[in-house]
Amino acid sequence: MADNALHVVDPEIADLIKAEERRQADTVKLIASENYVSKAVLAATGTVLTNKYSEGYPGKRYYEGQQVIDQIETLAIERAKAVFGVNHANVQPYSGSPANLAIYLAFLQPGETVMGMGLPFGGHLTHGWSVSATGKWFNPVRYGVRKDTGRVDMDEVRELALRERPKVIFCGGTAIPRIIDFPAFAEIAKEVGAVLAADIAHIAGLVAGGAHPSPVGYADVISTTTHKTLRGPRGAMLMATSDEHAAAINKAVFPGLQGGPHNHTTAAIAVALREAGTEAFRDYARQVVLNAKALAEELISRGFDLVSGGTDNHLILMDLTPKGVGGKPAAQALDKAGLETNYNTVPFDTRKPFDPSGIRIGTAGVTSRGMGVAEMRQIGAWIDQVVSALAKDEEEAKHVILRVHGEVRELTKHFPAPGL
Ligand SMILES: *Cc1c(COP(=O)(O)O)cnc(C)c1O
């Protein structure tokens, strides 16, 4: 045992990491924005690359000693271009939020108008929500979804765009269970002379794997995190087709917003993109959607109210109002049963953001563990049992939670998570 090993230097943190690893192994991860990275991706993140400063871009740095880092970043860029079919990729944004900020810096002046989906309808904070810098320093206008369909109404988006003349339009979001109509957004952006930014943070893995239409050829700029369905490390990328947009983005990321890129993350992104370029990943992406559809069907058959009536991707948004339970107590009870979800506002929610009506679930994580349609039906049944018991009687719910938790542990044993 090396005397500089983590558990020797800092047993407290080492034990907590072990505990988290155990928790992740024993629970069914249904959080739509999470996934399990491979051992290879994990290995790349924990390396000496974290020691190196590399402000600038490959071939044009402000520090010496870039012989290796330049090769790593170039590989990441080339793989991103190949996987997504774009001409330019910037792999340096620290995460999805800074990546989106770079879009503002590249294409907007303070006070100018940005259009995005409102947060309560499934947009992201960085698409101009009021508490975000993007909502405070710019002039945000917001579209939502129709009450009757739970889907974006492109006529409404067009009307709003024609009236407000945004300089940037964001499409994409965090709680959208349906296919995003990139061609329709592109047409509107063109009509009003706006830059179209497709934020595919949630669906990047599905796009890479051919299980969701690609924004390439429609969006001027594509923003994505690398750690959701794409199954890479925590990080982000910005992609573009035109040289002009690419130059603006590169300048905005560095020196506009950031200093040195996180090279260990860049290496892990490269590994994840290599994995995402395989036939196995295409199968994975397809299975993520099949699993979400199976889980949605099971939940619908058990009387759950799904926003938009189902799903086309990895994500399900449920309104628990008909079940007589709030989203928060339901998510907490499910977590106790080993089913990890998050409470979420639903469109036109009548409850407060900290105690909303819905829960959001996703199938990226469970699919990474090799679970299929049969397991989705079982998970749907468990969700129903816990939520229905909670609605009836808290004491009875305790027994149901205990039983389900035991069954969840049994299932997870048979589907070891990658990387753990
Ligand atoms: C997750 C997400 C982000 C932000 O990513 P962070 O890495 O959490 O900053 C931005 N946009 C969308 C649509 C997302 O889903």
Coordinates of all heavy atoms in Angstrom, one line a residue, residues 219-312:
A219 N -28.9 24.3 -37.2 CA -28.5 25.2 -36.2 C -27.1 25.9 -36.6 O -26.3 25.2 -37.2 CB -28.3 24.5 -34.9
D220 N -27.0 27.1 -36.3 CA -25.7 27.8 -36.5 C -24.7 27.4 -35.5 O -23.5 27.2 -35.9 CB -25.9 29.3 -36.4 CG -26.9 29.9 -37.4 OD1 -26.6 29.8 -38.6 OD2 -28.0 30.3 -37.0
V221 N -25.1 27.2 -34.3 CA -24.2 26.7 -33.2 C -24.9 25.6 -32.5 O -26.1 25.6 -32.3 CB -24.0 27.9 -32.2 CG1 -22.9 27.5 -31.2 CG2 -23.6 29.2 -32.9
I222 N -24.1 24.6 -32.1 CA -24.6 23.5 -31.3 C -23.9 23.5 -30.0 O -22.6 23.5 -30.0 CB -24.5 22.2 -32.0 CG1 -25.2 22.2 -33.4 CG2 -25.0 21.0 -31.2 CD1 -24.9 21.1 -34.3
S223 N -24.6 23.5 -28.9 CA -24.0 23.4 -27.6 C -24.4 22.1 -26.9 O -25.5 21.6 -27.1 CB -24.6 24.6 -26.7 OG -24.3 24.4 -25.4
T224 N -23.5 21.5 -26.3 CA -23.9 20.3 -25.5 C -23.0 20.0 -24.3 O -21.8 20.4 -24.3 CB -23.8 19.0 -26.4 OG1 -24.3 17.9 -25.7 CG2 -22.4 18.7 -26.9
T225 N -23.5 19.4 -23.3 CA -22.7 18.9 -22.2 C -22.2 17.5 -22.8 O -22.7 17.0 -23.7 CB -23.5 18.6 -21.0 OG1 -24.6 17.8 -21.3 CG2 -24.0 19.9 -20.3
T226 N -21.2 17.0 -22.1 CA -20.7 15.7 -22.5 C -21.0 14.6 -21.5 O -20.7 13.4 -21.8 CB -19.1 15.8 -22.6 OG1 -18.6 16.4 -21.5 CG2 -18.8 16.6 -23.9
H227 N -21.7 14.9 -20.4 CA -21.9 14.0 -19.4 C -23.3 13.4 -19.2 O -23.6 12.7 -18.3 CB -21.5 14.6 -18.0 CG -22.1 15.9 -17.8 ND1 -21.4 17.1 -18.1 CD2 -23.2 16.3 -17.2 CE1 -22.1 18.1 -17.8 NE2 -23.2 17.7 -17.2
K228 N -24.2 13.7 -20.2 CA -25.6 13.2 -20.0 C -25.7 11.9 -20.9 O -25.0 11.0 -20.7 CB -26.6 14.3 -20.3 CG -26.4 15.4 -19.3 CD -27.3 16.6 -19.5 CE -27.0 17.7 -18.4 NZ -27.7 19.0 -18.7
T229 N -26.6 12.0 -21.9 CA -26.7 10.7 -22.7 C -25.4 10.4 -23.5 O -25.2 9.3 -23.9 CB -27.9 10.8 -23.7 OG1 -27.7 12.0 -24.5 CG2 -29.2 10.8 -23.0
L230 N -24.5 11.4 -23.7 CA -23.3 11.1 -24.4 C -22.3 10.3 -23.6 O -21.4 9.7 -24.1 CB -22.6 12.5 -24.8 CG -21.5 12.4 -25.8 CD1 -21.9 11.7 -27.1 CD2 -20.9 13.8 -26.1
R231 N -22.5 10.2 -22.3 CA -21.8 9.3 -21.4 C -20.3 9.6 -21.3 O -19.5 8.7 -21.2 CB -22.0 7.8 -21.9 CG -22.2 6.8 -20.8 CD -22.8 5.5 -21.2 NE -22.0 4.8 -22.1 CZ -22.4 3.6 -22.7 NH1 -23.6 3.1 -22.3 NH2 -21.7 3.0 -23.5
G232 N -20.0 10.9 -21.3 CA -18.6 11.3 -21.1 C -18.4 11.9 -19.7 O -19.3 11.9 -18.9
P233 N -17.3 12.6 -19.5 CA -17.0 13.2 -18.3 C -17.8 14.5 -18.2 O -18.4 14.9 -19.2 CB -15.5 13.6 -18.4 CG -15.3 13.8 -19.8 CD -16.2 12.8 -20.5
R234 N -17.8 15.1 -17.0 CA -18.5 16.4 -16.9 C -17.7 17.4 -17.7 O -16.6 17.7 -17.5 CB -18.6 16.9 -15.4 CG -19.3 16.0 -14.6 CD -19.8 16.6 -13.3 NE -21.0 17.3 -13.5 CZ -22.2 16.7 -13.3 NH1 -22.2 15.4 -12.9 NH2 -23.3 17.3 -13.5
G235 N -18.4 18.0 -18.7 CA -17.8 19.0 -19.6 C -18.8 19.4 -20.6 O -20.0 19.1 -20.5
A236 N -18.3 20.1 -21.6 CA -19.2 20.6 -22.7 C -18.4 20.8 -24.0 O -17.2 20.9 -24.0 CB -19.9 21.8 -22.2
M237 N -19.2 21.0 -25.0 CA -18.6 21.3 -26.3 C -19.5 22.3 -27.1 O -20.7 22.4 -26.8 CB -18.5 20.0 -27.2 CG -17.8 18.9 -26.6 SD -17.4 17.6 -27.8 CE -19.1 17.0 -28.3
L238 N -18.9 23.1 -27.9 CA -19.6 23.9 -28.8 C -19.2 23.6 -30.3 O -18.0 23.4 -30.5 CB -19.3 25.4 -28.6 CG -19.9 26.0 -27.3 CD1 -19.2 27.3 -26.9 CD2 -21.4 26.2 -27.4
M239 N -20.2 23.4 -31.1 CA -19.9 23.0 -32.5 C -20.5 23.9 -33.5 O -21.6 24.6 -33.2 CB -20.4 21.6 -32.7 CG -19.7 20.6 -31.8 SD -20.3 18.9 -31.9 CE -21.7 18.9 -30.9
A240 N -19.9 24.0 -34.7 CA -20.5 24.9 -35.7 C -20.1 24.4 -37.1 O -19.1 23.6 -37.2 CB -20.0 26.3 -35.5
T241 N -20.8 24.8 -38.1 CA -20.4 24.4 -39.4 C -19.7 25.5 -40.1 O -18.7 25.3 -40.8 CB -21.7 24.1 -40.2 OG1 -22.5 23.1 -39.4 CG2 -21.4 23.4 -41.5
S242 N -20.1 26.8 -40.0 CA -19.4 27.9 -40.7 C -18.2 28.3 -40.0 O -18.1 28.3 -38.7 CB -20.4 29.0 -40.9 OG -20.3 30.0 -39.8
D243 N -17.2 28.7 -40.7 CA -15.9 29.2 -40.2 C -16.1 30.5 -39.3 O -15.5 30.6 -38.3 CB -14.9 29.6 -41.3 CG -14.5 28.4 -42.2 OD1 -14.8 27.2 -41.7 OD2 -14.0 28.6 -43.2
E244 N -17.0 31.3 -39.8 CA -17.3 32.6 -39.1 C -17.8 32.4 -37.7 O -17.3 32.9 -36.7 CB -18.3 33.4 -40.0 CG -18.6 34.8 -39.5 CD -19.8 35.3 -40.1 OE1 -20.2 34.8 -41.2 OE2 -20.5 36.2 -39.5
H245 N -18.8 31.5 -37.6 CA -19.4 31.2 -36.3 C -18.3 30.5 -35.4 O -18.3 30.8 -34.2 CB -20.6 30.3 -36.4 CG -21.8 31.0 -37.0 ND1 -22.6 30.5 -37.9 CD2 -22.2 32.3 -36.7 CE1 -23.5 31.4 -38.2 NE2 -23.3 32.5 -37.5
A246 N -17.6 29.6 -36.0 CA -16.6 28.9 -35.2 C -15.5 29.8 -34.6 O -15.1 29.7 -33.4 CB -15.9 27.8 -36.1
A247 N -15.1 30.8 -35.4 CA -14.1 31.8 -34.9 C -14.7 32.6 -33.8 O -14.0 32.8 -32.8 CB -13.7 32.7 -36.1
A248 N -16.0 33.0 -33.9 CA -16.6 33.8 -32.8 C -16.7 33.0 -31.5 O -16.5 33.5 -30.4 CB -18.0 34.2 -33.3
I249 N -17.0 31.7 -31.7 CA -17.2 30.8 -30.5 C -15.8 30.6 -29.8 O -15.7 30.7 -28.6 CB -17.8 29.5 -30.9 CG1 -19.3 29.6 -31.2 CG2 -17.6 28.4 -29.9 CD1 -19.8 28.4 -31.9
N250 N -14.8 30.3 -30.6 CA -13.5 30.1 -30.0 C -13.0 31.3 -29.2 O -12.5 31.2 -28.1 CB -12.5 29.7 -31.1 CG -12.6 28.3 -31.6 OD1 -13.3 27.5 -31.0 ND2 -12.0 28.0 -32.7
K251 N -13.2 32.5 -29.8 CA -12.8 33.7 -29.1 C -13.6 33.9 -27.8 O -13.1 34.4 -26.9 CB -13.0 34.9 -30.1 CG -11.8 35.8 -30.1 CD -12.0 36.9 -31.2 CE -12.5 38.2 -30.6 NZ -12.9 39.2 -31.6
A252 N -14.9 33.5 -27.9 CA -15.7 33.7 -26.7 C -15.3 32.8 -25.6 O -15.3 33.2 -24.4 CB -17.2 33.5 -27.1
V253 N -15.0 31.5 -25.9 CA -14.6 30.6 -24.9 C -13.3 31.0 -24.3 O -13.1 31.1 -23.1 CB -14.5 29.1 -25.4 CG1 -13.9 28.2 -24.4 CG2 -15.9 28.7 -25.9
F254 N -12.3 31.2 -25.1 CA -11.0 31.7 -24.7 C -10.5 32.7 -25.7 O -10.4 32.4 -26.9 CB -9.9 30.6 -24.6 CG -8.6 31.1 -24.2 CD1 -8.2 31.4 -22.9 CD2 -7.7 31.5 -25.2 CE1 -7.0 32.0 -22.6 CE2 -6.4 32.1 -24.9 CZ -6.1 32.3 -23.5
P255 N -10.1 33.9 -25.3 CA -10.0 34.4 -23.9 C -11.3 35.1 -23.3 O -11.2 35.6 -22.3 CB -8.9 35.5 -24.1 CG -9.2 36.1 -25.5 CD -9.7 34.9 -26.3
G256 N -12.4 35.0 -24.0 CA -13.6 35.7 -23.6 C -14.1 35.3 -22.2 O -14.4 36.2 -21.4
L257 N -14.1 34.0 -21.9 CA -14.8 33.6 -20.7 C -13.9 32.8 -19.8 O -14.0 32.8 -18.6 CB -16.0 32.7 -21.0 CG -17.3 33.4 -21.2 CD1 -18.4 32.4 -21.6 CD2 -17.8 34.2 -20.0
Q258 N -13.0 32.0 -20.4 CA -12.3 31.0 -19.6 C -10.8 31.3 -19.7 O -10.3 31.9 -20.6 CB -12.6 29.6 -20.1 CG -14.0 29.2 -20.0 CD -14.3 27.7 -20.3 OE1 -15.4 27.3 -20.1 NE2 -13.3 27.0 -20.8
G259 N -10.1 30.6 -18.7 CA -8.6 30.5 -18.8 C -8.2 29.2 -19.4 O -8.7 28.8 -20.4
G260 N -7.4 28.5 -18.6 CA -6.9 27.2 -19.1 C -8.0 26.1 -19.2 O -8.8 26.0 -18.3
P261 N -8.0 25.4 -20.3 CA -8.9 24.2 -20.4 C -8.5 23.1 -19.4 O -7.4 23.0 -19.0 CB -8.7 23.8 -21.8 CG -7.3 24.2 -22.2 CD -7.1 25.4 -21.4
H262 N -9.5 22.3 -19.0 CA -9.3 21.2 -18.1 C -8.8 20.0 -18.9 O -9.7 19.2 -19.4 CB -10.5 20.9 -17.3 CG -10.9 22.0 -16.4 ND1 -12.1 22.0 -15.6 CD2 -10.3 23.2 -16.1 CE1 -12.1 23.1 -14.9 NE2 -11.1 23.9 -15.2
N263 N -7.5 19.8 -19.0 CA -7.0 18.8 -20.0 C -7.4 17.4 -19.7 O -7.5 16.5 -20.6 CB -5.5 19.0 -20.1 CG -5.1 20.3 -20.6 OD1 -5.6 20.8 -21.6 ND2 -4.2 21.0 -20.0
H264 N -7.5 17.1 -18.4 CA -7.9 15.7 -18.0 C -9.4 15.5 -18.5 O -9.7 14.4 -18.9 CB -7.8 15.5 -16.5 CG -8.6 16.5 -15.7 ND1 -8.3 17.9 -15.8 CD2 -9.6 16.4 -14.8 CE1 -9.1 18.5 -14.9 NE2 -9.9 17.6 -14.3
T265 N -10.2 16.5 -18.5 CA -11.5 16.4 -19.0 C -11.5 16.2 -20.5 O -12.2 15.4 -21.1 CB -12.4 17.6 -18.6 OG1 -12.4 17.7 -17.2 CG2 -13.8 17.5 -19.1
T266 N -10.6 17.0 -21.2 CA -10.5 17.0 -22.6 C -10.2 15.5 -23.0 O -10.8 15.0 -24.0 CB -9.4 17.9 -23.1 OG1 -9.7 19.2 -22.6 CG2 -9.4 17.9 -24.6
A267 N -9.2 14.9 -22.3 CA -8.8 13.5 -22.7 C -10.0 12.6 -22.5 O -10.3 11.7 -23.3 CB -7.7 13.1 -21.8
A268 N -10.8 12.8 -21.4 CA -11.9 11.9 -21.2 C -13.0 12.1 -22.2 O -13.7 11.2 -22.6 CB -12.4 12.1 -19.7
I269 N -13.2 13.4 -22.6 CA -14.1 13.6 -23.7 C -13.7 12.9 -25.0 O -14.5 12.3 -25.7 CB -14.2 15.2 -24.0 CG1 -15.0 15.9 -22.8 CG2 -15.0 15.4 -25.3 CD1 -15.0 17.4 -22.9
A270 N -12.4 12.9 -25.3 CA -11.9 12.2 -26.4 C -12.2 10.7 -26.3 O -12.7 10.1 -27.3 CB -10.4 12.4 -26.6
V271 N -12.1 10.1 -25.2 CA -12.4 8.7 -25.0 C -13.9 8.4 -25.2 O -14.3 7.5 -25.9 CB -11.9 8.2 -23.5 CG1 -12.3 6.8 -23.3 CG2 -10.4 8.4 -23.4
A272 N -14.7 9.3 -24.6 CA -16.1 9.1 -24.7 C -16.6 9.2 -26.1 O -17.5 8.5 -26.6 CB -16.9 10.2 -23.8
L273 N -15.9 10.1 -26.9 CA -16.3 10.3 -28.3 C -15.9 9.1 -29.1 O -16.5 8.7 -30.1 CB -15.7 11.6 -28.8 CG -16.4 12.9 -28.3 CD1 -15.5 14.1 -28.7 CD2 -17.8 13.0 -28.9
R274 N -14.8 8.5 -28.7 CA -14.3 7.3 -29.4 C -15.4 6.2 -29.2 O -15.8 5.5 -30.1 CB -13.0 6.8 -28.9 CG -12.4 5.7 -29.6 CD -11.1 5.2 -29.0 NE -10.6 4.0 -29.8 CZ -9.4 4.0 -30.4 NH1 -8.7 5.0 -30.4 NH2 -9.1 2.9 -31.1
E275 N -15.8 6.1 -27.9 CA -16.9 5.1 -27.6 C -18.2 5.4 -28.4 O -18.9 4.5 -28.8 CB -17.2 5.1 -26.1 CG -16.0 4.5 -25.3 CD -16.2 4.7 -23.8 OE1 -17.1 5.4 -23.3 OE2 -15.4 4.1 -23.0
A276 N -18.5 6.7 -28.4 CA -19.8 7.1 -29.1 C -19.7 6.9 -30.6 O -20.8 6.9 -31.2 CB -20.0 8.6 -28.8
G277 N -18.6 6.7 -31.2 CA -18.5 6.4 -32.6 C -18.6 5.0 -33.0 O -18.5 4.6 -34.1
T278 N -18.9 4.1 -32.0 CA -19.0 2.7 -32.3 C -20.4 2.2 -32.6 O -21.4 2.9 -32.2 CB -18.5 1.9 -31.0 OG1 -19.3 2.2 -29.9 CG2 -17.0 2.2 -30.7
E279 N -20.4 1.1 -33.2 CA -21.7 0.4 -33.5 C -22.5 0.1 -32.1 O -23.7 0.3 -32.0 CB -21.5 -0.9 -34.3 CG -22.7 -1.4 -35.1 CD -23.4 -0.3 -35.9 OE1 -22.7 0.5 -36.6 OE2 -24.6 -0.2 -35.8
A280 N -21.7 -0.3 -31.1 CA -22.3 -0.6 -29.8 C -23.0 0.6 -29.2 O -24.0 0.5 -28.6 CB -21.2 -1.1 -28.9
F281 N -22.5 1.8 -29.5 CA -23.1 3.0 -29.0 C -24.4 3.3 -29.7 O -25.4 3.8 -29.1 CB -22.2 4.2 -29.0 CG -22.6 5.4 -28.2 CD1 -22.3 5.4 -26.8 CD2 -23.4 6.4 -28.7 CE1 -22.8 6.5 -26.0 CE2 -23.9 7.4 -27.9 CZ -23.6 7.5 -26.6
R282 N -24.4 3.0 -31.0 CA -25.7 3.2 -31.7 C -26.8 2.3 -31.2 O -27.9 2.7 -31.0 CB -25.5 2.8 -33.2 CG -24.6 3.8 -34.0 CD -24.6 3.5 -35.5 NE -25.7 4.0 -36.2 CZ -25.9 5.3 -36.5 NH1 -25.0 6.2 -36.3 NH2 -27.0 5.7 -37.1
D283 N -26.4 1.0 -30.8 CA -27.3 0.1 -30.2 C -27.8 0.7 -28.8 O -28.9 0.6 -28.5 CB -26.6 -1.3 -30.0 CG -26.3 -2.0 -31.3 OD1 -26.9 -1.6 -32.3 OD2 -25.5 -2.9 -31.3
Y284 N -26.8 1.2 -28.1 CA -27.1 1.8 -26.8 C -28.2 2.9 -27.0 O -29.2 2.9 -26.3 CB -25.8 2.4 -26.2 CG -26.1 3.3 -25.0 CD1 -26.6 2.8 -23.8 CD2 -25.9 4.7 -25.1 CE1 -26.9 3.6 -22.7 CE2 -26.1 5.5 -24.0 CZ -26.7 5.0 -22.9 OH -26.9 5.8 -21.8
A285 N -27.9 3.9 -27.9 CA -28.8 5.0 -28.1 C -30.2 4.5 -28.5 O -31.2 5.0 -27.9 CB -28.3 5.9 -29.2
R286 N -30.3 3.5 -29.3 CA -31.6 3.0 -29.8 C -32.3 2.4 -28.5 O -33.5 2.6 -28.3 CB -31.4 1.9 -30.9 CG -32.6 1.7 -31.7 CD -32.2 0.7 -32.9 NE -31.0 1.1 -33.6 CZ -30.0 0.3 -33.8 NH1 -30.0 -1.0 -33.3 NH2 -28.9 0.7 -34.4
Q287 N -31.5 1.6 -27.7 CA -32.1 1.0 -26.6 C -32.6 2.0 -25.5 O -33.6 1.7 -24.8 CB -31.1 0.0 -25.9 CG -31.7 -1.0 -24.9 CD -32.8 -1.9 -25.5 OE1 -32.6 -2.4 -26.6 NE2 -34.0 -2.0 -24.8
V288 N -31.9 3.1 -25.4 CA -32.3 4.1 -24.4 C -33.7 4.6 -24.8 O -34.6 4.7 -23.9 CB -31.4 5.4 -24.5 CG1 -32.0 6.6 -23.8 CG2 -30.0 5.0 -23.9
V289 N -34.0 4.8 -26.1 CA -35.3 5.2 -26.5 C -36.3 4.1 -26.3 O -37.5 4.4 -25.8 CB -35.3 5.8 -28.0 CG1 -36.7 6.2 -28.4 CG2 -34.3 6.9 -28.1
L290 N -36.0 2.9 -26.7 CA -36.9 1.8 -26.6 C -37.3 1.6 -25.1 O -38.4 1.4 -24.8 CB -36.3 0.5 -27.1 CG -36.1 0.3 -28.6 CD1 -35.4 -1.0 -28.9 CD2 -37.5 0.3 -29.3
N291 N -36.3 1.8 -24.2 CA -36.6 1.6 -22.8 C -37.5 2.7 -22.3 O -38.4 2.5 -21.5 CB -35.2 1.6 -22.0 CG -34.5 0.3 -22.1 OD1 -35.1 -0.7 -22.5 ND2 -33.3 0.2 -21.6
A292 N -37.2 4.0 -22.8 CA -38.1 5.1 -22.3 C -39.5 4.9 -22.8 O -40.5 5.1 -22.0 CB -37.5 6.4 -22.8
K293 N -39.7 4.4 -24.0 CA -41.0 4.1 -24.5 C -41.7 3.0 -23.7 O -42.9 3.1 -23.4 CB -41.0 3.8 -26.0 CG -40.7 5.0 -26.9 CD -40.7 4.5 -28.4 CE -40.4 5.7 -29.3 NZ -41.4 6.8 -29.4
A294 N -41.0 2.0 -23.4 CA -41.5 0.9 -22.6 C -41.9 1.3 -21.2 O -43.0 1.0 -20.7 CB -40.5 -0.3 -22.5
L295 N -41.1 2.1 -20.6 CA -41.4 2.6 -19.2 C -42.6 3.6 -19.3 O -43.5 3.5 -18.4 CB -40.1 3.3 -18.7 CG -40.2 3.9 -17.3 CD1 -40.7 2.9 -16.3 CD2 -38.8 4.4 -16.8
A296 N -42.6 4.4 -20.3 CA -43.8 5.3 -20.5 C -45.1 4.5 -20.6 O -46.1 4.9 -20.0 CB -43.5 6.2 -21.7
E297 N -45.0 3.5 -21.5 CA -46.2 2.7 -21.7 C -46.7 2.0 -20.4 O -47.9 2.0 -20.0 CB -45.9 1.5 -22.6 CG -46.5 1.7 -24.0 CD -46.0 0.6 -25.0 OE1 -45.9 -0.6 -24.5 OE2 -45.5 1.0 -26.1
E298 N -45.7 1.5 -19.6 CA -46.1 0.9 -18.3 C -46.7 1.9 -17.4 O -47.7 1.6 -16.7 CB -44.8 0.3 -17.7 CG -45.0 -0.5 -16.4 CD -45.9 -1.8 -16.7 OE1 -45.7 -2.3 -17.7 OE2 -46.6 -2.1 -15.7
L299 N -46.1 3.1 -17.3 CA -46.7 4.1 -16.4 C -48.1 4.6 -16.9 O -48.9 4.8 -16.0 CB -45.7 5.3 -16.4 CG -44.4 5.0 -15.6 CD1 -43.3 6.1 -15.9 CD2 -44.6 4.9 -14.1
I300 N -48.2 4.8 -18.2 CA -49.5 5.2 -18.7 C -50.6 4.1 -18.3 O -51.7 4.4 -17.9 CB -49.5 5.4 -20.2 CG1 -48.7 6.7 -20.5 CG2 -50.9 5.6 -20.8 CD1 -48.3 6.9 -22.0
S301 N -50.2 2.9 -18.5 CA -51.2 1.8 -18.2 C -51.5 1.7 -16.7 O -52.5 1.2 -16.3 CB -50.6 0.4 -18.7 OG -49.7 0.0 -17.7
R302 N -50.7 2.4 -15.9 CA -51.0 2.4 -14.5 C -51.6 3.8 -14.1 O -51.5 4.1 -12.9 CB -49.7 2.1 -13.7 CG -49.2 0.7 -13.8 CD -47.9 0.5 -13.3 NE -47.5 -0.9 -13.4 CZ -47.8 -1.9 -12.5 NH1 -48.5 -1.5 -11.4 NH2 -47.5 -3.1 -12.6
G303 N -52.0 4.5 -15.0 CA -52.8 5.7 -14.7 C -52.0 7.0 -14.5 O -52.5 8.0 -14.0
F304 N -50.7 6.9 -14.9 CA -49.9 8.1 -14.7 C -50.1 9.1 -15.9 O -50.4 8.6 -17.0 CB -48.4 7.8 -14.7 CG -48.0 7.3 -13.3 CD1 -48.0 5.9 -13.0 CD2 -47.5 8.1 -12.3 CE1 -47.6 5.4 -11.8 CE2 -47.2 7.7 -11.1 CZ -47.2 6.3 -10.8
D305 N -50.0 10.4 -15.6 CA -50.3 11.4 -16.6 C -48.9 11.9 -17.1 O -48.2 12.6 -16.4 CB -51.1 12.6 -16.0 CG -51.3 13.7 -16.9 OD1 -51.1 13.5 -18.2 OD2 -51.7 14.8 -16.5
L306 N -48.5 11.5 -18.3 CA -47.3 11.9 -18.9 C -47.4 13.2 -19.7 O -48.3 13.3 -20.6 CB -46.7 10.8 -19.8 CG -45.8 9.8 -19.0 CD1 -46.5 9.2 -17.8 CD2 -45.4 8.6 -20.0
V307 N -46.6 14.2 -19.5 CA -46.6 15.4 -20.3 C -46.4 15.0 -21.7 O -45.4 14.3 -22.1 CB -45.5 16.4 -19.8 CG1 -45.5 17.6 -20.7 CG2 -45.9 16.9 -18.4
S308 N -47.2 15.5 -22.6 CA -47.2 15.2 -24.1 C -47.7 13.8 -24.4 O -47.6 13.4 -25.5 CB -45.8 15.5 -24.7 OG -45.0 14.4 -24.6
G309 N -48.1 13.1 -23.3 CA -48.6 11.7 -23.5 C -47.6 10.6 -23.8 O -48.0 9.5 -24.1
G310 N -46.3 10.9 -23.7 CA -45.3 9.9 -23.9 C -44.0 10.4 -24.1 O -43.6 11.5 -23.6
T311 N -43.2 9.7 -24.9 CA -41.8 10.2 -25.1 C -41.3 9.7 -26.4 O -41.6 8.6 -26.9 CB -40.8 9.7 -24.0 OG1 -39.5 10.2 -24.2 CG2 -40.8 8.2 -23.9
D312 N -40.4 10.5 -27.0 CA -39.6 10.1 -28.2 C -38.2 9.9 -27.9 O -37.4 9.5 -28.8 CB -39.7 11.3 -29.3 CG -41.1 11.6 -29.7 OD1 -41.9 10.7 -29.8 OD2 -41.3 12.8 -30.0

